[in-house]
Amino acid sequence: MLVLAIETSCDETSAAVLRTAAQERGHAPEVLFVPPALVPEPAAAPDVLSNIVLSQDEVHAPYGGVVPELASRQHIKTIAVIVSEGLSRAGVALEKIDLYAVTQGPGLIGSLLIGLSFAKGLAYYHKKPLVGVDHLEAHLEACFLENPGIEYPVLGLLVSGGHTALYLMEEPLSYKLLGRTRDDAAGEALDKIAKFLGLGYPGGPVIEKLGRGGDPKAFPFAVPRTKDRSLDFSFSGLKTAALKHIREHGIVKDDARLPDFLASFEEVVARTLVDNLRRAADAVQPRSLVLCGGVARNTRLRARFQDFARDAGLPAYIPSPKLCTDNAAMVGALALKKFARRPDPATDLDLDAYARA
Ligand code: KG4
Ligand code: ZN
C-alpha cells in the first residue's frame, strides 16, 4: 500500500510517500472488510520513500516569527511542486497512490486549508480514501517510524514552536493529555528571546549554535513550577526573567557573554521540560519515553532527556532530527495506522481544518 502525505500546518510545505511493509512482503493488506477490532496493528514501520520539506524560514526571518498570511501564500506557491517532487523522488506515479493523508490541525488555519484542499482534490479525482491526521499526534508517531516496537504505555514529551505537552499513550492511537503549556510553548520562548536579541528566526537553532561552548551555569535561572503542582508547563516567567537579565547585564547581539547567556537559557528550558517529564513518569509509571517536536532537535534537551531516562531505567526514543521538525512522513505513518484500524475506502471530503487542539 502506498500513501501520499501532505503537511502544511505552519511554515513548512511537506510531502512524503510511504509504503507499508506488508506490500514489500508481497501481500496487499486485505483489511477493507475486517471488523476494526480484528485488524492487527502494522507489525513493521512503513518505508519512507520520500519526505520533502520546504521551509519558509527565509520568508519569515525578517519578521522574527511566522506571519500567517505570508505562510498561506507561500504554501499556495509551493504545494504542487513539493508534491510532485515527493512522488518523483519516491519513483511513484500519482495513479499508484492507494491512500492520501493530510494534517487537519492544529495549526495556522490558512496554511492547513491549503494542504487539506490539495489533498481532497487529489483523493476525489483519483477516487481514493483520504485520512485526516492531528499534527500533535503525528509528531508523537514520528518516534514509532524508526522504532516500531516501542513498548506501551509510552510517556511522550512533545516540544515544538506552537505546543509543549505531555501525553500518556496506553496503546497505539490513544493519546491522553497529561499537561500542556499555559502560555508560551518552549520553542516559542526560544524564538522570542532570539528575536529580542536580533539573532534571527527560527530562534532554537540559532540559540543552540551561538550558545555552544557557553557556560550553562553562568546566569542563574530557576526552573519554574506551577503553583498547583499540575503537569502543565509555563514559559512566560522564564521569558520575562531572560529579558530582565538582558536589560540588567546589557547583553547585546555581539556580546562576549552571549554564549554563556544563551547556554544558561537553553539549559533552564531543557531542565524545565525534563522536570515535568520526571514528575509525570513518577505518576504514570510508563514502560518507555519518547521526545518529539522541533525542539527535540536540540542537543542539550536530548542529553537531559537521555540522562533522565538512564536514571529512571527506562528505554527512551527521539526521532532523528529531520523527523522532529514538521514533515509529512510522520503524517503518512499515522494515517496508515488509523486506516488499518478503521479502513474506510470512501474519500472523506467532509474533513475540516481546525486551528486549535
Ligand atoms: O515542530 P516544529 O517544526 O513546528 C511546530 O509544530 O511548531 O517546531 C519548530 C520549533 C521552533 O520554535 C524552532 O525554534 C524549534 O522548533 N527548533 C529548535 C531547534 N530546531 C528547531 N529548538 C532548539 N534547538 C534546535 N536545534
Ligand atoms: Zn509541528
Side-chain angles (χ1 to χ4, degrees):
M1 191 172 207
L2 287 163
V3 57
L4 171 65
I6 295 175
E7 153 67 43
T8 61
S9 67
C10 190
D11 61 339
E12 266 96 22
T13 318
S14 180
V17 177
L18 285 77
R19 183 176 54 204
T20 50
Q23 200 199 28
E24 216 184 31
R25 289 196 298 269
H27 45 88
E30 291 170 15
V31 292
L32 289 187
F33 304 106
V34 180
L38 299 182
V39 177
E41 286 300 324
D47 293 324
V48 179
L49 304 184
S50 65
N51 187 20
I52 311 293
V53 181
L54 180 66
S55 159
Q56 302 177 356
D57 286 353
E58 282 175 20
V59 173
H60 303 289
Y63 307 94
V66 179
V67 182
E69 181 61 22
L70 294 182
S72 315
R73 290 182 193 195
Q74 199 64 18
H75 286 305
I76 290 174
K77 277 194 206 151
T78 56
I79 182 98
V81 71
I82 293 302
V83 167
S84 52
E85 185 68 13
L87 288 161
S88 75
R89 292 260 188 106
V92 169
L94 197 50
E95 295 69 36
K96 297 281 178 210
I97 296 296
D98 303 297
L99 179 71
Y100 290 91
V102 67
T103 305
Q104 269 183 276
L108 301 174
I109 202 75
S111 294
L112 287 162
L113 281 170
I114 289 150
L116 187 60
S117 311
F118 202 85
K120 277 186 186 176
L122 287 175
Y124 180 70
Y125 181 78
H126 292 280
K127 298 188 178 56
K128 290 288 156 65
L130 169 66
V131 174
V133 159
D134 182 277
H135 181 73
L136 308 180
E137 293 175 7
H139 269 302
L140 290 161
E141 187 59 35
C143 301
F144 294 85
L145 249 178
E146 291 165 321
N147 297 284
I150 300 178
E151 265 195 272
Y152 291 89
V154 179
L155 176 61
L157 173 58
L158 161 61
V159 200
S160 74
H163 299 88
T164 299
L166 279 163
Y167 291 88
L168 176 65
M169 289 168 275
E170 280 168 326
E171 55 179 14
L173 302 181
S174 123
Y175 310 91
K176 184 175 169 198
L177 183 68
L178 300 177
R180 66 167 137 190
T181 183
R182 294 185 178 173
D183 37 61
D184 290 347
E188 197 179 350
L190 293 165
D191 292 342
K192 284 179 178 168
I193 292 304
K195 181 180 179 181
F196 191 81
L197 286 166
L199 302 177
Y201 173 83
V206 184
I207 290 181
E208 171 152 35
K209 187 166 155 233
L210 300 178
R212 208 166 280 147
D215 174 5
K217 294 202 181 88
F219 287 80
F221 283 104
V223 170
R225 299 231 153 76
T226 47
K227 285 203 180 82
D228 56 10
R229 300 295 286 151
S230 79
L231 292 172
D232 283 347
F233 299 88
S234 170
F235 288 96
S236 70
L238 267 187
K239 200 181 57 189
T240 312
L243 294 176
K244 198 161 160 262
H245 277 306
I246 292 173
R247 271 192 216 101
E248 278 173 8
H249 296 269
I251 293 167
V252 287
K253 198 175 168 184
D254 304 316
D255 211 294
R257 294 161 301 169
L258 192 68
D260 286 351
F261 174 75
L262 296 178
S264 302
F265 186 62
E266 205 186 52
E267 179 74 18
V268 72
V269 168
R271 286 198 184 282
T272 303
L273 291 164
V274 172
D275 202 55
N276 257 18
L277 180 71
R278 177 179 295 108
R279 292 194 299 112
D282 284 347
V284 301
Q285 300 289 311
R287 293 182 85 153
S288 19
L289 303 170
V290 302
L291 172 67
C292 60
V295 184
R297 289 178 81 125
N298 185 268
T299 312
R300 200 180 294 277
L301 175 60
R302 290 168 95 94
R304 293 297 153 271
F305 173 75
Q306 268 149 355
D307 291 347
F308 163 62
R310 209 173 307 112
D311 289 351
L314 287 168
Y317 304 88
I318 316 173
S320 51
K322 198 181 173 195
L323 291 174
C324 288
T325 27
D326 291 349
N327 69 91
M330 66 187 192
V331 174
L334 179 55
L336 280 168
K337 271 195 187 171
K338 285 179 77 172
F339 190 72
R341 179 76 63 90
R342 276 187 77 243
D344 182 351
T347 306
D348 191 348
L349 296 181
D350 290 337
L351 290 180
D352 255 338
Y354 51 92
R356 290 184 188 284

